Amino acid sequence: MREIISSERYITILEQFVSTQIALEDRPRIEWFMQDGARPHRTEKVFRFLDEYFGNRVIALDYPKFTGTGMDCPPYSPDLTPCDYFLWGALKDIVYGNHPSTLDELESAICVVCNTISVETLKDVTSNFILHLCHLIFSNGEHFENIVF
């Protein structure tokens, strides 16, 4: 049986992520943590955990209301990860094009499609992501439109 993502399960995932980061870290903690606005991500327990590890270096919906620090996710913010502006759309089109009817079929289709992504495609995505960040810097973090990456 598959687990749904509850706030408790999400905290377990965050604990694994943070422990890996601590083990790999050989530099000062200057990174920010950004998450989407899914309901399990916006509970008091999750915000307490994020506050303990990241403090004011969190960008998340409702986080500043709870902690008084960090940044709220701005509406219509530019996508800050290659997964947001490329991968999910590309995968969705192919995976759902095959009309999976069960969760097992969906999971299998996602794995198959992920294994078909070429190294060249990943290099292109990385190059476009760098260009995306340059536009974001140039726009002072404001929303920008009508740019094809």
Side-chain angles (χ1 to χ4, degrees):
M1 183 176 189
R2 291 179 175 84
E3 291 184 63
I4 60 167
I5 298 293
S6 63
S7 61
E8 289 78 17
R9 175 76 179 118
Y10 185 58
I11 289 172
T12 301
I13 293 167
L14 288 173
E15 287 169 342
Q16 292 169 350
F17 170 76
V18 167
S19 66
T20 301
Q21 294 304 308
I22 290 171
L24 296 175
E25 229 173 60
D26 60 352
R27 61 188 175 357
R29 289 187 350 192
I30 58 172
E31 72 281 351
W32 281 67
F33 183 82
M34 182 175 182
Q35 70 179 14
D36 64 15
R39 285 187 185 206
H41 300 177
R42 299 184 352 238
T43 66
E44 183 176 336
K45 290 178 186 178
V46 169
F47 287 159
R48 263 196 252 119
F49 178 88
L50 293 175
D51 187 50
E52 182 179 321
Y53 185 72
F54 294 99
N56 67 343
R57 299 178 329 270
V58 175
I59 302 171
L61 185 62
D62 295 333
Y63 185 76
K65 290 177 191 170
F66 177 79
T67 63
T69 65
M71 291 178 60
D72 218 350
C73 282
Y76 312 111
S77 64
D79 296 325
L80 297 176
T81 68
C83 291
D84 284 340
Y85 71 84
F86 164 74
L87 185 61
W88 302 142
L91 291 178
K92 182 180 169 186
D93 290 345
I94 297 168
V95 167
Y96 285 107
N98 295 325
H99 308 290
S101 59
T102 67
L103 194 52
D104 286 334
E105 287 177 9
L106 177 63
E107 184 177 313
S108 177
I110 291 169
C111 289
V112 167
V113 172
C114 284
N115 287 327
T116 65
I117 299 171
S118 71
V119 172
E120 192 60 40
T121 297
L122 296 175
K123 286 179 181 178
D124 289 345
V125 168
T126 303
S127 296
N128 283 334
F129 181 59
I130 293 167
L131 180 61
H132 193 97
L133 291 175
C134 290
H135 281 279
L136 182 62
I137 291 167
F138 183 75
S139 71
N140 291 319
E142 296 293 322
H143 183 66
F144 50 88
E145 297 181 27
N146 304 322
I147 298 175
V148 178
F149 291 98

